[in-house]
Amino acid sequence: MKGIDLEIAPGERLALVGESGSGKSLTASAILGLLPAPLRVTAGTVRFQGTDLAGLSRKERRKGLGARIGCVFQDYRGSFSPYHTVGSQLVEALRTARPMKRKQAKQMALDSLEQVGLPAERAYASYSFQLSGGQLQRAALACVLLLRPELLIADEPTTALDIVSGRSVMQLMLDIQRQTGCGILLISHDLNLVLDWADRAAVMRKGRLVEEGPCDVLRTSASHPYTQELLAACPSLDDALHRHEGGHVHEAHC
Ligand SMILES: Nc1ncnc2c1ncn2[C@@H]1O[C@H](COP(=O)(O)OP(=O)(O)OP(=O)(O)O)[C@@H](O)[C@H]1O
């Protein structure tokens, strides 16, 4: 991959869009320092509030940035270990980021589970395999809410969900941003979906950025033929929902 130049301001939503295999997830992994071996960053910098992340070891990243950059992935089951309850993992994450008494952390975890629309006590006591995909993705966002990162990287967070749960996860990310002021990098293959949601979109193809700009501009006057192709190819989520619900868009619940 070459020539990837992205910038996200606090409180901004940037969508990284492109077809399967274009390099979106590897871009996120490179930002997070999680590129699978033998892949590595050979040139360029990744700066987070002035700190060059490439210069940090994995341990330094975890320690210094663990709670400042949050992630949500397509594989929601991978966000939680099946060996511990969701609640105990939220508590652990919170206490690692901010030392505090277990009781206080538990209360905060319950509050955040409630805020993301889950039955808090039940979700807290559940193992990941006891929750649905939509519920688990909400629990992962409860963790984001709890840790209040400055940047959230969401890699296709709705792709594995049904259309209604996906819509509610998108809305939830907006709510979290309103509460925390975090910047969000959303990775998606659906340009029409993100145009309704993000401030700016960057379009990737074959490991390169082909176009980047404000969503309003891309919607009406995308200049690259590949962007135009994506615009023509993907139905927006609202269109799909209207079809799915026979013309009625209902409030989404997982
Ligand atoms: N571990 C790896 N080793 C070598 N090549 C890889 C590895 N992971 C991904 N790739 C290649 O890098 C390219 C970009 O992959 P990436 O997963 O970033 O695509 P993507 O745009 O996120 O696709 P998708 O939407 O399907 O997740 C692909 O050609 C893929 O085959």
Side-chain angles (χ1 to χ4, degrees), residues 117 138 162 164-165 168 250-254:
R138 281 172 171 264
D162 66 78
V164 178
S165 301
S168 89
H250 298 298
E251 266 308 299
H253 295 289
C254 295

Side-chain angles (χ1 to χ4, degrees), residues 23-85:
K24 307 179 297 293
S25 294
L26 286 187
T27 301
S29 301
I31 295 170
L32 292 164
L34 295 174
L35 278 177
L39 305 183
R40 63 196 169 89
V41 177
T42 53
T45 53
V46 181
R47 291 194 165 275
F48 178 68
Q49 303 220 330
T51 306
D52 183 3
L53 301 187
L56 302 180
S57 67
R58 283 202 176 188
K59 197 173 164 195
E60 284 169 329
R61 276 172 182 265
R62 255 203 315 274
K63 197 157 174 269
L65 299 170
R68 295 178 67 195
I69 303 181
C71 322
V72 185
F73 298 108
Q74 176 178 345
D75 171 22
Y76 42 78
R77 301 234 170 253
S79 301
F80 292 94
S81 154
Y83 301 110
H84 304 279
T85 60

Side-chain angles (χ1 to χ4, degrees), residues 56-204:
L56 302 180
S57 67
R58 283 202 176 188
K59 197 173 164 195
E60 284 169 329
R61 276 172 182 265
R62 255 203 315 274
K63 197 157 174 269
L65 299 170
R68 295 178 67 195
I69 303 181
C71 322
V72 185
F73 298 108
Q74 176 178 345
D75 171 22
Y76 42 78
R77 301 234 170 253
S79 301
F80 292 94
S81 154
Y83 301 110
H84 304 279
T85 60
V86 165
S88 66
Q89 291 177 68
L90 293 186
V91 165
E92 194 56 36
L94 181 56
R95 292 182 79 215
T96 303
R98 277 177 251 141
M100 66 175 71
K101 291 221 158 63
R102 187 169 291 279
K103 199 173 162 196
Q104 186 190 358
K106 178 177 179 182
Q107 191 52 56
M108 287 176 71
L110 284 168
D111 290 347
S112 67
L113 286 167
E114 196 173 320
Q115 275 192 57
V116 299
L118 289 172
E121 294 280 355
R122 187 168 85 75
Y124 185 95
S126 296
Y127 291 87
S128 55
F129 52 81
Q130 294 173 314
L131 297 178
S132 73
Q135 287 173 326
L136 266 186
Q137 208 57 301
R138 281 172 171 264
L141 287 169
C143 191
V144 171
L145 198 54
L146 208 50
L147 299 179
R148 303 180 82 85
E150 291 149 67
L151 174 66
L152 168 61
I153 297 182
D155 188 352
E156 305 260 15
T158 64
T159 304
L161 303 179
D162 66 78
I163 205 157
V164 178
S165 301
R167 187 184 163 91
S168 89
V169 162
M170 296 291 284
Q171 179 59 46
L172 195 51
M173 286 195 289
L174 290 181
D175 295 342
I176 288 174
Q177 188 181 47
R178 247 175 249 128
Q179 286 186 50
T180 66
C182 65
I184 304 182
L185 174 64
L186 171 70
I187 290 175
S188 173
H189 57 271
D190 185 342
L191 179 56
N192 284 293
L193 164 66
V194 303
L195 285 184
D196 291 338
W197 184 91
D199 302 307
R200 283 186 302 124
V203 181
M204 266 190 99

